[in-house]
């Protein structure tokens, strides 16, 4: 089982990238489990027809001790196992604590042993890497971390912070930094800017994802590009990313 965490600044297109990666991996015959770790709980929606699925936290509140594993998992396109940790009511409680509760429940219910996914992907809000948001970095949860960024200043600033946190955790046998994923915004000298960042972080750009309106077109259909337009060049980009992740 390969376990990876994908971080990135909010709004960078991280969940879009993760969902297309999950669908591409499933197209390669892998059993994939995607776990959304953002309080917005919208990581998996393009894998399930554009709808939000019940979150682990909400289900735990409703069913409490009667919660079963199949109450938490929705099977999406290509057989991707979709889960959303969820978060507290805005202004009440800690979203990071919600992630911890969700992870603890999945362990209690033996989710990984029962479903035996080939690849587990944690889609994590990357503006903060503390408390529960650092859970996917911990030993036993993920082996590698990939950071989605563009050439925009704030996106690279967030990527630098995340990479620094990963390296600080490395001496505790936590996940290692696997590389950057450049989700292009077509700003001037973008590739060069991110290449410079990767050198500073002593890592590499593992994939460049070009800006393409077909991504939004697929999302408007409630689908990934890989599902909706498998013959398009953009689908090949995500398939290449999947191969590199494997």
């Amino acid at each position: 089982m390969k376990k990876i965490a994908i971080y990135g600044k909010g709004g960078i297109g991280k969940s879009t990238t993760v969902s297309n990666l999950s669908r591409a991996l499933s197209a390669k015959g892998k059993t994939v489990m995607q776990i959304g770790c953002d309080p917005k709980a919208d990581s998996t929606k393009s894998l399930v027809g554009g709808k939000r699925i019940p979150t682990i936290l909400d289900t735990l509140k409703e069913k409490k001790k009667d919660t079963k594993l199949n109450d938490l998992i929705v099977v999406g396109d290509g057989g991707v196992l979709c889960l959303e940790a969820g978060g507290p009511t805005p202004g009440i409680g800690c979203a990071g604590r919600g992630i911890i509760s969700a992870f603890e429940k999945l362990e209690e219910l033996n989710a990984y042993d029962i479903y035996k996914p080939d690849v587990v992907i944690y889609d994590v809000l990357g503006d903060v890497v503390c408390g529960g948001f650092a859970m996917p970095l911990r030993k036993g949860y993920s082996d590698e971390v990939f950071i989605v960024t563009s050439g925009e200043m704030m996106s690279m600033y967030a990527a630098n912070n995340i990479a620094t946190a990963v390296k600080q955790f490395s001496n505790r046998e936590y996940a290692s930094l696997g590389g950057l994923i450049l989700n292009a915004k077509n700003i001037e000298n973008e590739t060069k800017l991110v290449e410079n960042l990767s050198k500073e972080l002593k890592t590499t750009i593992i994939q460049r994802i070009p800006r393409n309106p077909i991504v939004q077109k697929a999302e408007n259909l409630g689908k990934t590009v890989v599902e909706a337009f498998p013959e398009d060049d953009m689908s090949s980009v995500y398939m290449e990313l999947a191969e590199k992740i494997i």
Side-chain angles (χ1 to χ4, degrees):
M1 179 165 44
K2 188 175 183 68
K3 297 170 286 185
I4 65 174
I6 299 185
Y7 283 76
K9 179 183 177 296
I12 194 58
K14 173 177 49 62
S15 293
T16 298
T17 301
V18 171
S19 293
N20 276 282
L21 169 60
S22 291
R23 185 64 185 88
L25 286 165
S26 73
K28 290 180 176 290
K30 303 297 181 183
T31 299
V32 185
M33 179 180 285
Q34 179 174 323
I35 304 175
C37 301
D38 188 322
K40 296 195 303 296
D42 59 356
S43 171
T44 59
K45 67 178 185 178
S46 63
L47 291 164
V48 291
K51 300 176 182 178
R52 284 194 171 97
I53 64 175
T55 70
I56 296 174
L57 283 190
D58 285 345
T59 303
L60 289 177
K61 287 177 188 175
E62 179 186 347
K63 299 197 173 186
K64 298 182 180 177
K65 292 183 179 180
D66 294 328
T67 301
K68 303 291 190 299
L69 193 53
N70 59 10
D71 295 324
L72 307 177
I73 295 178
V74 173
V75 180
D77 290 335
V80 176
L81 304 168
C82 301
L83 302 94
E84 295 283 356
T89 303
I92 302 173
C94 171
R97 180 61 208 169
I99 294 171
I100 294 171
S101 298
F103 279 31
E104 289 175 346
K105 193 64 180 180
L106 290 177
E107 285 191 341
E108 178 190 324
L109 296 174
N110 298 313
Y112 309 109
D113 292 332
I114 291 172
Y115 281 92
K116 295 181 171 56
D118 299 305
V119 185
V120 178
I121 306 178
Y122 304 97
D123 176 6
V124 195
L125 179 64
D127 298 77
V128 289
V129 190
C130 62
F133 291 101
M135 280 288 283
L137 299 177
R138 296 184 181 182
K139 184 179 179 181
Y141 286 113
S142 61
D143 309 306
E144 286 184 294
V145 176
F146 296 92
I147 304 171
V148 179
T149 186
S150 69
E152 296 168 316
M153 182 180 68
M154 293 309 296
S155 174
M156 292 193 296
Y157 180 77
N160 181 71
N161 286 344
I162 297 160
T164 300
V166 172
K167 289 178 180 178
Q168 287 176 339
F169 282 129
S170 64
N171 61 356
R172 305 182 201 175
E173 298 184 359
Y174 280 28
S176 61
L177 181 59
L180 305 180
I181 299 170
L182 169 52
N183 194 33
K185 299 293 186 183
N186 289 351
I187 68 169
E188 188 175 359
N189 297 322
E190 184 165 35
T191 300
K192 185 64 177 175
L193 288 168
V194 180
E195 284 177 349
N196 290 341
L197 174 64
S198 70
K199 289 175 183 176
E200 290 176 16
L201 299 176
K202 296 181 181 178
T203 190
T204 58
I205 300 171
I206 68 161
Q207 183 74 329
R208 182 184 185 278
I209 301 174
R211 193 169 180 83
N212 190 319
I214 202 165
V215 176
Q216 185 62 54
K217 187 175 179 182
E219 289 198 335
N220 290 343
L221 296 172
K223 295 183 178 293
T224 60
V225 174
V226 178
E227 176 75 19
F229 306 106
E231 304 303 320
D232 191 87
D233 288 344
M234 276 301 290
S235 182
S236 298
V237 171
Y238 293 116
M239 295 295 280
E240 287 173 11
L241 174 59
E243 191 63 36
K244 290 173 182 176
I245 293 290
I246 292 171

